[in-house]
């Protein structure tokens, strides 16, 4: 048996940091990642046979848990007929129709291979449709690694952005403005300072990439009003919130109709899928109908379509949402009760099957608030939890998830183990 440590050393010889996505390297929590052998339901097993209750769930896609028989069978059956054609298939049409059932605002939509491709494409379409260049995003919101999103706030709220990654041209970063999440006044100020120049506002309507941060009651309605008045498009990046905070995502839960929506994760059932879509007159700008170019060799891949169809069919037929919401709320309640019992300031919440807890007194309304949390305590809690067979996201600034396989017993068991982990983390 090759240990995770040996795999990690071998991986680092051939891949930057030994991982294919940075967060997997555990740099935010220290230590080295375990390597996965297999998974089923709510559990993962590493190459050394250790078992973990999994709350990362591939960062969101696996709402039905790992290796769901219906999803596996759908992929197996599709693979036996061929793995990719570069030609249209019925499955792409069926999945697009399914997605539109859940997200009626996506009158026309296009499949791509990742959330990053979805958000990059949505911004390109928005710039084409409005004939404007500026983009407004929010601090702490992550929209994939497209150049326009790897931007940090300029000195003042209305100041143009600066790159927050080498390799991103300053000239491009200056086209992205940033504001604090939940700060309507800052958005108004930006729209005044840059009237007529903002193509779109893009946001995670419920933040999952700065830890879990809910929108203030007025925030989303005000964004909708300001963008309409300002002639800018409102893009809901629901790659994470889609099918999580409600079947139809944040736009269903909060009753806001964005102009464009991006999706990923759940719609692929664990295979690589992203999607972007919205109002027909906007999406008809996309090639080959319109002049906005976007393409992809494996877009609409038959295996990914099969997995997505199987997963969405079960979400529609079984409607697991009430149970998912109840259990997720119970998990957060238990984790907060643990902290209270041990005298640790903690603040958290959940919507649907997406949740988060900060070791901070709270409230946490934006990324600046989130950064006040006790990251050192989280690091120790994370490893104590791993030692007790519970895999939480390896960063204090990520959301957690639940699957239909996390039943009441698993939740109560997790709460117990987490109490011991926190006690041990306090030393
Ligand atoms: P991908 O390109 O990773 O499929 O999607 C990018 C993306 C876009 N929008 C939102 C709201 C997202 O959460 C993501 C990706 N989420 C991260 C989790 N924090 C993926 C994990 C990773 O980077 O490995």
């Amino acid at each position: 048996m090759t240990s995770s440590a040996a795999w990690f050393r071998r991986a680092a010889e051939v891949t930057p940091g030994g991982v294919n996505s940075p967060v997997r390297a555990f740099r935010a929590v220290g230590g080295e990642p375990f390597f996965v052998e297999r998974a089923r339901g709510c559990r993962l097993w590493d190459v050394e046979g250790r078992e973990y209750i999994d709350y990362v769930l591939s960062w969101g896609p696996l709402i039905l848990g790992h290796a769901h028989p219906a999803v596996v069978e759908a992929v197996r059956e599709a693979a036996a007929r061929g793995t990719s054609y570069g030609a249209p298939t019925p499955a792409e049409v069926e999945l697009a129709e399914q997605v539109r059932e859940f997200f009626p605002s996506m009158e026309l939509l296009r499949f791509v291979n990742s959330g990053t491709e979805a958000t990059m494409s949505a911004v390109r379409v928005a710039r084409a449709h409005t004939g404007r260049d500026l983009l407004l995003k929010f601090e702490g919101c992550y929209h994939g690694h497209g150049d326009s999103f790897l931007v940090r706030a300029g000195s003042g709220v209305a100041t143009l952005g600066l790159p927050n990654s080498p390799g991103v041209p300053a000239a491009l970063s200056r086209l992205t403005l940033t504001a604090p999440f939940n700060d309507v006044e800052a958005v108004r100020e930006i729209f005044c300072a840059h009237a007529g120049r903002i193509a779109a506002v893009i946001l995670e309507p419920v933040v999952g990439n700065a830890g879990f941060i809910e929108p203030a009651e007025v925030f989303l309605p005000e964004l909708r009003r300001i963008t309409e008045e300002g002639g800018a498009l409102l893009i809901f990046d629901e790659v994470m919130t889609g099918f999580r905070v409600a079947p139809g995502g944040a736009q269903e839960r909060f009753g806001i109709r964005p102009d464009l929506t991006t999706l990923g994760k759940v719609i692929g059932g664990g295979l690589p899928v992203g999607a972007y879509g919205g109002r027909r007159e906007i999406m008809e700008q996309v090639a080959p109908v319109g002049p906005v170019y976007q393409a992809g060799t494996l877009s609409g891949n038959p295996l990914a379509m099969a997995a997505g169809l199987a997963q969405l069919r079960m979400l529609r037929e079984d409607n697991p949402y009430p149970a998912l919401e109840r259990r997720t709320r119970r998990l957060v309640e238990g984790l907060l009760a643990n902290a209270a019992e041990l005298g640790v300031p903690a603040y958290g919440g959940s919507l649907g099957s997406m949740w988060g807890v900060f070791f901070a007194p709270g409230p946490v309304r934006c990324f600046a608030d989130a950064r006040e949390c006790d990251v050192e305590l989280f690091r120790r809690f994370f490893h104590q939890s791993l030692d007790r067979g519970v895999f939480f996201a390896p960063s204090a600034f990520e959301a957690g998830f639940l699957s239909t396989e996390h039943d009441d017993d698993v939740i109560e068991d997790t709460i117990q183990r987490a109490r011991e982990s926190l006690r041990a983390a306090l030393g």
Side-chain angles (χ1 to χ4, degrees):
M1 174 271 301
T2 305
S3 68
S4 287
W7 276 113
F8 196 43
R9 279 193 302 279
R10 190 169 149 187
E13 292 303 310
V14 71
T15 300
V19 291
N20 285 300
S21 198
V23 72
R24 302 177 192 171
F26 279 17
R27 299 250 170 138
V29 290
E32 294 187 351
F34 57 85
F35 276 58
V36 177
E37 173 73 28
R38 64 186 176 90
R40 186 165 189 83
C42 66
R43 298 174 195 275
L44 287 171
W45 286 266
D46 69 18
V47 293
E48 296 171 40
R50 289 192 197 87
E51 177 180 313
Y52 306 93
I53 302 171
D54 180 14
Y55 287 95
V56 177
L57 293 165
S58 178
W59 302 95
L62 301 172
I63 194 167
L64 300 179
H66 292 282
H68 190 288
V71 174
V72 172
E73 183 46 36
V75 174
R76 193 198 314 274
E77 190 279 329
R81 290 186 283 118
T83 53
S84 179
Y85 313 110
T89 65
E92 297 159 66
V93 182
E94 290 170 336
L95 186 59
E97 290 169 344
Q98 285 298 318
V99 168
R100 201 169 57 175
E101 292 274 308
F102 284 95
F103 290 83
S105 71
M106 300 176 83
E107 295 168 358
L108 276 185
L109 64 98
R110 165 71 57 85
F111 289 119
V112 292
N113 299 285
S114 68
T116 294
E117 276 189 75
T119 54
M120 284 169 59
S121 308
V123 166
R124 183 178 306 141
V125 173
R127 284 171 163 155
H129 182 72
T130 59
R132 300 175 177 184
D133 290 342
L134 295 188
L135 173 70
L136 171 56
K137 72 176 288 290
F138 294 90
E139 289 150 27
C141 285
Y142 175 69
H143 303 293
H145 63 87
D147 283 348
S148 292
F149 308 118
L150 299 182
V151 171
R152 60 189 162 83
S155 52
V157 159
T159 325
L160 304 179
L162 304 164
N164 76 355
S165 164
V168 175
L172 184 60
S173 299
R174 280 197 290 275
L175 299 180
T176 301
L177 296 145
T178 55
F181 190 74
N182 275 325
D183 188 337
V184 174
E185 218 26 65
V187 175
R188 283 203 190 95
E189 190 179 324
I190 285 170
F191 268 76
C192 280
H194 301 281
R197 297 180 58 219
I198 299 172
V201 173
I202 187 169
L203 74 157
E204 296 180 61
V206 176
V207 182
N209 287 287
F212 179 84
I213 304 176
E214 296 183 50
E217 192 174 346
V218 299
F219 187 55
L220 300 179
E222 278 302 295
L223 280 187
R224 181 64 284 181
R225 193 178 59 73
I226 294 170
T227 47
E228 259 162 14
E229 284 175 4
L233 299 189
L234 180 60
I235 305 175
F236 269 19
D237 176 359
E238 299 226 42
V239 167
M240 191 184 275
T241 54
F243 304 93
R244 281 278 175 193
V245 301
Q251 55 197 270
E252 174 189 306
R253 188 157 195 127
F254 297 106
I256 301 283
R257 194 177 178 95
D259 299 298
L260 291 172
T261 298
T262 54
L263 296 174
K265 297 184 193 278
V266 167
I267 60 172
L271 272 69
V273 183
Y276 68 102
R279 286 179 15 220
R280 183 171 290 276
E281 70 270 23
I282 299 173
M283 289 301 292
E284 282 177 342
Q285 311 256 347
V286 177
V289 181
V292 178
Y293 198 69
Q294 180 272 312
T297 302
L298 296 175
S299 296
N301 172 271
L303 307 194
M305 298 295 104
L309 274 169
Q311 182 141 281
L312 264 58
R313 184 175 298 119
M314 276 172 286
L315 290 177
R316 205 181 59 255
E317 289 170 2
D318 303 349
N319 183 21
Y321 286 89
L324 277 170
E325 176 129 8
R326 175 176 56 77
R327 289 178 178 144
T328 309
R329 200 175 291 136
R330 169 60 191 142
L331 174 68
V332 171
E333 177 192 281
L335 295 177
L336 292 175
N338 290 347
E341 185 186 317
L342 294 168
V344 173
Y347 180 85
S350 67
L351 287 172
S353 56
M354 187 173 158
W355 62 274
V357 172
F358 290 101
F359 290 136
V364 176
R365 294 207 177 95
C366 62
F367 191 37
D369 292 346
R371 281 200 296 251
E372 298 297 309
C373 75
D374 185 339
V375 174
E376 277 313 309
L377 175 57
F378 176 80
R379 285 196 180 115
R380 297 194 300 275
F381 172 72
F382 170 82
H383 283 288
Q384 290 292 344
S385 297
L386 217 49
D387 293 347
R388 290 174 176 75
V390 180
F391 179 38
F392 291 123
S395 163
F397 304 109
E398 291 284 356
F401 303 98
L402 226 74
S403 82
T404 50
E405 300 303 297
H406 290 74
D407 63 21
D408 293 332
D409 290 344
V410 169
I411 299 297
E412 295 309 318
D413 180 15
T414 300
I415 293 169
Q416 296 298 330
R417 296 188 200 194
R419 180 179 304 120
E420 291 321 306
S421 301
L422 186 55
R423 196 189 310 276
L426 291 166

